[in-house]
């Protein structure tokens, strides 16, 4: 009986988190407004990362491509979910691919985390695979707490398979240890 109750509570928490996080899309009424919002977010994220890690500017300039995502993650007891948007930029051709991000997970935690991420691709093939397939699975554990809105925190993580990820946390409190599945995909509405 206890096992059945725990399963039902976990399912309810997962559904609640998915409903809350599922509504996060780029603001705007029209396709152009949404694209402009994503473009502005990209510029803001790069500017903030360059301020915090000045040497990153040269890495972005020399990379074959990069992607910037904005994401809100909600972790409620046994479930976590996040939803976001972003753009992948091919540095050689200048092509821009607008994308969506969705993530669901299970694990112990509580909190809301609003973060921005920069993906640096080490080869055109890695970027193409990310844009075309976009799946990323992985275990994730972090603890971040910010009591005031002063400054920002940046964490760098080397990701295998030809990508480096830099995460910029702007606000929120998160304490979580989760196993997540993340899906990055083209946004058919914006491309």
């Amino acid at each position: 009986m206890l096992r059945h109750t725990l399963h039902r509570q976990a399912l309810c928490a997962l559904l609640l988190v998915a409903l809350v996080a599922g509504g996060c899309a780029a603001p705007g009424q029209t396709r152009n407004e949404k694209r402009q919002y994503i473009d502005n977010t990209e510029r803001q994220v790069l500017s903030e990362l360059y301020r915090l890690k000045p040497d990153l500017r040269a890495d972005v300039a020399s990379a074959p491509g990069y992607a910037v995502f904005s994401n809100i993650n909600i972790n409620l007891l046994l479930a976590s979910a996040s939803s976001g948007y972003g753009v992948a930029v091919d540095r050689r051709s200048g092509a821009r691919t607008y994308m969506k991000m969705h993530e669901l997970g299970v694990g112990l935690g509580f909190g809301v985390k609003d973060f921005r991420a920069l993906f640096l691709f080490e080869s055109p093939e890695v970027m193409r695979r990310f844009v075309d397939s976009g799946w990323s699975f992985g275990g994730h554990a972090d603890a971040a707490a910010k009591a005031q809105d002063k400054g920002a925190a940046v964490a760098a993580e080397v990701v295998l398979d030809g990508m480096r990820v830099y995460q910029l946390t702007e606000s929120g409190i998160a304490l979580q240890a989760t196993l997540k599945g993340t899906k990055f995909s083209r946004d058919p509405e914006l491309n």
Side-chain angles (χ1 to χ4, degrees), residues 4-24:
H4 178 68
T5 302
L6 288 175
H7 282 258
R8 188 175 356 170
Q9 287 175 344
L11 181 59
C12 288
L14 187 59
L15 289 173
L16 175 66
V17 170
L19 286 173
V20 172
C24 299

Side-chain angles (χ1 to χ4, degrees), residues 121-141:
F121 304 108
E122 294 178 3
S123 73
E125 296 77 25
V126 170
M127 181 174 173
R128 258 192 310 279
R129 188 173 61 240
F130 180 85
V131 170
D132 293 340
S133 301
W135 277 103
S136 172
F137 291 103
H140 176 71

Side-chain angles (χ1 to χ4, degrees), residues 66-125:
Y66 66 90
V68 174
F69 283 87
S70 176
N71 182 320
I72 293 181
N73 177 272
I74 299 168
N75 194 306
L76 182 62
L77 299 178
L78 297 175
S80 70
S82 63
S83 181
Y85 51 85
V87 62
V89 179
D90 185 321
R91 300 268 311 147
R92 294 178 181 164
S93 70
R96 300 174 69 77
T97 304
Y98 294 91
M99 300 182 74
K100 305 187 275 191
M101 175 184 175
H102 298 286
E103 184 174 72
L104 291 175
V106 292
L108 183 61
F110 181 77
V112 175
K113 183 169 61 171
D114 176 10
F115 73 91
R116 312 285 190 258
L118 167 67
F119 292 75
L120 279 181
F121 304 108
E122 294 178 3
S123 73
E125 296 77 25

Side-chain angles (χ1 to χ4, degrees), residues 43-57:
R43 285 189 292 276
Q44 291 169 358
V45 169
L46 289 175
S47 177
E48 184 67 12
L49 283 169
Y50 295 158
R51 185 182 68 76
L52 294 169
K53 282 184 74 64
D55 57 323
L56 191 56
R57 184 182 300 268

